[in-house]
Each structure stands twice: as C-alpha cells, then as structure tokens.
C-alpha cells in the first residue's frame, strides 16, 4: 500500500514538473523556482495538478492550499482552504490571497512567498 501511495505521489510530482514548462513557457525557470520555494517552505505539501495548474496540498485527497499559474502574469495564490491571514485592523474586508509577478523573482519576493506558504499551511 505504501508503495502504491509513493508511486501516485511520484506520478503527481512528475505531472506538475511536466506542466510547469508547458504553462509558464519562456518563464519556466521562474515557475520551477516558485515550485521549489513552496516545497522548501512546507515540505509536507504534495504537488498535483489542480484545475490544470500546479497545486499543493497536505495530501492527495486533501484540499489544495497553494497554487501557481501563468496567464498574462505569473500568479502565486492561496485557496479558501488555506490558513488565510486576516488583518482585523484593515479599513476594508478584503483578504489577500493571490499575487501577480511580472518579472523574475528576487530574494525579497522569494522570502515573502516562503513566509506566505508557511502561514497558509499553519
């Protein structure tokens, strides 16, 4: 049974690693780096395809918490199942859950992404 589960996890990882270059195109290296940042920040997360994009959950049958994709911008986001940080002192009721990137990742952005992932996994 454990081997079957490990095989499925390996298949899911392979599917994500295949999808990132397809989805991110010329920005594939950034997509792969985003993938690495997520897994380094929360090694317990399991990658899988979720609505055709890379998603990261605590287990194969658990809800996706973090996702990445590329449309016009590179997107790093959290689902409603993540531990969302709600600023009770904010002047509005909006909850930040997705961020766009237009360019390469820098050290500060990588650090912030890792911080967001760790908080999302809680």
């Amino acid at each position: 049974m454990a081997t079957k589960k490990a095989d499925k996890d390996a298949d899911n990882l392979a599917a994500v690693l295949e999808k990132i270059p397809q989805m991110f195109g010329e920005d594939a290296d950034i997509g792969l780096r985003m993938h690495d940042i997520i897994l380094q920040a929360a090694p317990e997360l399991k990658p899988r395809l979720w609505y055709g994009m890379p998603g990261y959950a605590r287990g194969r049958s658990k809800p996706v918490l973090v996702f990445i994709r590329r449309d016009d911008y590179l997107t790093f986001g959290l689902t409603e199942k993540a531990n969302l940080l709600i600023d009770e002192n904010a002047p509005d009721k909006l909850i930040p859950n997705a961020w766009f990137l237009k360019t390469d990742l820098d050290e500060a952005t990588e650090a912030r992404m890792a911080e967001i992932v760790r908080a999302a996994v809680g």
Side-chain angles (χ1 to χ4, degrees):
M1 185 70 143
T3 302
K4 205 174 207 182
K5 185 176 179 181
D7 288 347
K8 184 63 176 168
D9 288 345
D11 289 346
N12 284 339
L13 174 60
V16 166
L17 292 175
E18 181 180 326
K19 184 66 171 187
I20 289 172
Q22 293 171 1
M23 178 178 276
F24 282 73
E26 64 188 32
D27 294 319
D29 57 332
I30 300 170
L32 290 168
R33 182 66 190 129
M34 292 168 74
H35 167 83
D36 289 343
I37 291 165
I38 291 165
L39 293 180
Q40 288 168 4
E44 66 272 27
L45 293 180
K46 305 286 185 204
R48 69 172 188 249
L49 292 181
W50 178 70
Y51 295 108
M53 68 187 98
Y56 303 84
R58 286 192 177 99
R60 286 183 292 122
S61 61
K62 302 289 184 182
V64 166
L65 304 176
V66 180
F67 66 90
I68 59 173
R69 72 171 182 248
R70 183 179 193 284
D71 297 312
D72 291 338
Y73 296 101
L74 307 176
T75 304
F76 164 71
L78 307 175
T79 71
E80 71 280 0
K81 302 297 183 184
N83 182 31
L84 299 171
L85 299 176
I86 300 171
D87 181 358
E88 299 296 335
N89 298 316
D92 57 55
K93 302 298 180 194
L94 297 172
I95 302 168
N97 72 324
W99 298 264
F100 291 135
L101 299 157
K102 288 180 71 171
T103 60
D104 201 0
L105 296 168
D106 59 19
E107 197 172 302
T109 303
E110 289 185 7
R112 180 70 177 122
M113 284 179 66
E115 179 184 325
I116 291 167
V117 169
R118 284 190 292 273
V121 173

